Amino acid sequence: MLDILKYFSLKEMKKSLIISLWFMILTFPIMVIKVNTIENTVIWRWGSLAGMGIGSFFLATLWRYLLDRKKMQSPLSSKKTLQKRVMEWSDANPRAKQGALIALGIFIVAFPFITSMYQTSIMTTALMYIVLGLGLNIVVGLGGLLHLGYAAFYAVGAYTYALLNYHFGISFWICLPLGAGLATIMGVLLAIPVLRLRGDYLAIVTLGFGEVIRIVLENWNEFSFGPSGVANIPRPGFFGMDMKLQAATIYIYFIMIAMVLFTIFVVRRLENSRTGRAWIAMREDEIASEAMGIDITKSKVTTFALGAFWAGMVGVIFAAKTTFINPASFTLWESVMILCVVVIGGMGSIFGVVIGALILILLPEYLRAFSEYRMLMFGAILVIMMVFRPGGIISNIRKIYKFEPKPSPADAGKEGVK
Amino acid sequence: MDLLYFFELFVGGMIRGSIYALIALGYTMVYGIIKLINFAHGEIYMIGAFTALIFASVLSFTGMNPILIFIIASILAISFSVGYGVTMEKIAYKPLRGSQRLSALISAIGMSMFLQNYVLLAQTSDFLPFPELVPDFKFLEPIKYLISSTSFLILITTAIVMIFLTYLIKFTRTGKAMRATSQDARMAQLLGINISKIITITFVIGSATAALGGVLISTHIGQLNFYIGFIAGIKAFVAAVLGGIGSIPGAVLGSFVLGWTESFGTGYISSDYEDVFAFLFLIIILIFRPSGILGRPENNKV
């Protein structure tokens, strides 16, 4: 077992000191000198240099300690992770599991009534990212195709509702499937040219596709009202009833809850279906799976189409929730954000994506106190997460078929599924 | 007259292309060695430009000769950017060597966000004017309407950097080691190549060219802020992919093709859709040549 005190020995202190000196030199021009180009004066901020030195000294120590600890834990260690323990516990106590699920259900239903409207609204956003994450998870996590233009499909859904409503007054509930359908068609259209590309070429083409959609929305004024966007989009109706803002917020929250449950249900079914297994096989090895008779073309087109489907649907809800959309909501950062939800949560794992979305959306909201440093910390967290837990918070547990050591005659040949 | 307009667009595209090339070279080299899209490469470019701006402004208060200031500021900018590049590799990429490529990519995205906001918080979000340091060259007087002295400097520098890099990779021992690492890192290691050293050298070269690009482009455009790196990085990446990522001549060719596409597209069709031309062209090229113009098709091992 490593002792953190060891890292304060003379030798280690010297190492940390050298690192902190290096950082002090490195950050000198940007941290210390500030030029006022209007009055032509220079401000020297020596205090931040001292802060940098002390801060990097301790961080360097901590960093080395954590890295060494990570190295000592071999990947095949038999140590039970928290996640495994929870799973075993729930398998062992089905009734307690049921109780926990019921408690969770009550909490979810009661949430908008026990918290403020602001909290409900944030939670709705988080729920939207859960669905977006699960949708992108189909492409990235199951299909293994790196997609950096996912926000484009999101935009297609949002604009479908906004424009159809503006021009023809079509209601939310009709637009929901329409938006999803249009996004799916866009997904197929994108999938056809990129069928031959792999890896990073695919990433850059999808990125380009996303940007093209955004730029077209920004510049085609007659169609999309340009950068000023579409305003006054109606909130979803409830059998023609007029709702106050608070009621509408709660209503959208419940729509999203239903959406999340529906998505989880469908994705779980998809994962274990013939199509889903074909995706996973394609992710593992394209050539081998093709040799086993999987139609790669069909698999790729279906991943893109089904991934886009969810984005289109959430897009419609997004437009209804914010009542105002413009192209600035669908930048590359949006796509990156959704990708981060998937990767941080744990690629390919439904539960992971849920946790990832909750953390990535709720954490920055509750870090408002440091709002200036929010993005800085967000960037740092991404790096730290990837360095110390590259598999995400909840990595996907593979199904393992285990033979019982001593099969009794009654269930001979039967395999325990875990 | 029409021919003159065409020629103007042609030269404009060439200058754009050289700008992209300076950034794309670093991108493509890093990709060639560690197969990572270094999203933070644009940030290194931005930090280079910022450092140069800071030192140039401070030095210009002392009343030094502008050309001397320009040289000192460039050298300082390059050294600091190299420092950032190498440190970044040690923190964000080295511990991830051998893990999934997506994790390294996310780490790069995180690094990019971190550096952007670091400069934003430590400095300012406003556009800062870059001091005018490059004098008007006398011999460019007759063709001044076509090419300014800063753009002339950019063209020359890109050419020199490209020749230097080609020499380095083709004819030196280090270059040979780099090529070996790019082909098969594990085998190269078995044959006694110090992979960590090669990766560090790659980041040094990549960051240096990016910083050089940052300084030159900021003098050319005349202003900068913390966000310039991101857009430039994406464009340079498109250029690198267009030419065939991992190949040095490919990066330069791709950059020029991209520069011309944008220049002619905006000149003849519409300036609103500048980026659309770039991306559409990329998509079309990749449909017919899935590994870029000069890229080698990937071999599928079964």
Side-chain angles (χ1 to χ4, degrees), chain A residues 402-416:
Chain A
K402 205 159 66 177
F403 286 103
E404 297 297 331
K406 225 179 176 186
S408 60
D411 49 26
K414 202 169 144 194
E415 289 155 19

Side-chain angles (χ1 to χ4, degrees), chain A residues 22 25-27 30 33-34 42 45 196 200-201 204-205 208 215 219 287 333 336 347 375 378-379 386, chain B residues 31 37 61 80 84 87 96 100-102 109 113 117-118 122-123 237 245 272 275 279 286-287 290 300:
Chain A
W22 167 253
I25 297 170
L26 193 65
T27 55
I30 291 183
I33 312 173
K34 187 166 182 176
V42 183
R45 300 167 294 179
R196 286 174 65 199
D200 305 294
Y201 291 95
I204 192 72
V205 168
I215 297 164
N219 288 302
I287 298 164
W333 279 123
V336 168
M347 263 199 300
M375 293 305 277
F378 195 68
M386 288 301 110
Chain B
Y31 184 88
I37 308 174
F61 298 149
F80 274 102
Y84 274 99
T87 314
L96 282 168
Q100 266 190 347
R101 281 170 71 182
L102 248 176
I109 290 169
M113 285 166 84
N117 285 281
Y118 153 70
Q123 293 285 325
F237 181 49
I245 196 155
D272 288 341
D275 294 351
F279 285 123
L286 287 185
I287 289 172
N300 297 333

Side-chain angles (χ1 to χ4, degrees), chain B residues 143-201:
Chain B
I143 47 167
K144 218 172 117 190
Y145 57 90
L146 264 182
I147 184 165
S148 68
S149 50
T150 46
S151 40
F152 179 74
L153 208 59
I154 289 174
L155 286 179
I156 296 293
T157 315
T158 309
I160 293 172
V161 167
M162 201 189 114
I163 292 167
F164 167 73
L165 282 184
T166 314
Y167 169 77
L168 181 93
I169 287 181
K170 281 243 163 99
F171 300 109
T172 61
R173 238 185 123 72
T174 318
K176 212 177 198 176
M178 279 170 139
R179 275 181 290 152
T181 312
S182 139
Q183 262 184 17
D184 189 336
R186 186 184 275 182
M187 193 63 211
Q189 207 160 17
L190 283 175
L191 294 175
I193 291 168
N194 185 346
I195 303 269
S196 295
K197 205 174 112 195
I198 293 297
I199 293 175
T200 309
I201 293 173

